[in-house]
Amino acid sequence: MPLPASLLFSSVLLAAANTATPTVVAADGILCDLTRTLVGNQANVICLIKPGTDPHSMALRPADRQTLAKAKIVLLNGYNLTPALNKIRTPGTVVKVGNIAVPNNSAKDPHIWHDPANVIAMANTVASSLKPLFDANGDAAIDQRRAKADRVLASLGSWIGQQVATVPENQRVVVTGHRTYDFLAKRYGVRELPVLDDYTTGGTLRPSSLSAISKSIKASGSKAIFPESLPPSKTMRRISRSSGVPIAKQVPFGDGQAPGKSLVQTATSNVCIFVNAQGGSCDQESASQLQKRWSAI
Ligand SMILES: [Zn+2]
């Protein structure tokens, strides 16, 4: 017996809904590029935070709320990188990728991606979060891309070590305002000196803290100070004048993806800026090779 027309029609609609490209929100940190790389064209990936934006102080726009309302999955960096995302409304599954991928993080530092080993763990978590959206073929395609991404990220991990090794040992220090590169510092034997976190409360610079900061910067052996952005804040300029250590001419972007750069390019550019400023020499050619492999995934 043929199916009644109405039933046939509704099952066609249902099939269409199931095969429609799902919307995935990759909110912050380096998740935009990581998720797009892993999912290919299987999902419509919307990146909430524009590369180069400060996630710590961003506010949601009405358009972001509309995006969240149609998401099947919302991937967050986690560890409170973007406080504005703590109270989002979405029908989709919310995944705090960092908290799952890097559970061993006693300081709850959100800047976990500065160690590529953590990005490999994040890729794993993103891949498993995406799988319920697809059939076996879709899942296999994600796994293939994840395996390729893992290999590039492992190479990036060794590459960073090779670049840091070109910096004289007593200059392997990164002077910042706020703690950002702790994961990079720990893995590669670099000291991070987050002067505002270490010597001020809420960033207010008292004369006594200015003198303590200057002393510690001079003693650190650093040849440059890396503010969060350029032009540097008044506070960082005062610290530079008082310590006699110049502000770096280029600054790394530590809060996610840099504008116009992939996560691999952001990492290599950050490392090159640091290494070159501290008396080492960064291998740009091998950095471009890594990016070629990454964009070929
Ligand atoms: Zn930050």
Side-chain angles (χ1 to χ4, degrees), residues 56 111 180 255:
H56 306 296
H111 312 86
T180 308
D255 274 328

Side-chain angles (χ1 to χ4, degrees), residues 54-56 81 110-111 113 178-180 228 254-255:
D54 175 4
H56 306 296
L81 175 66
H111 312 86
W113 60 88
H178 296 287
R179 184 169 278 104
T180 308
E228 253 109 287
D255 274 328

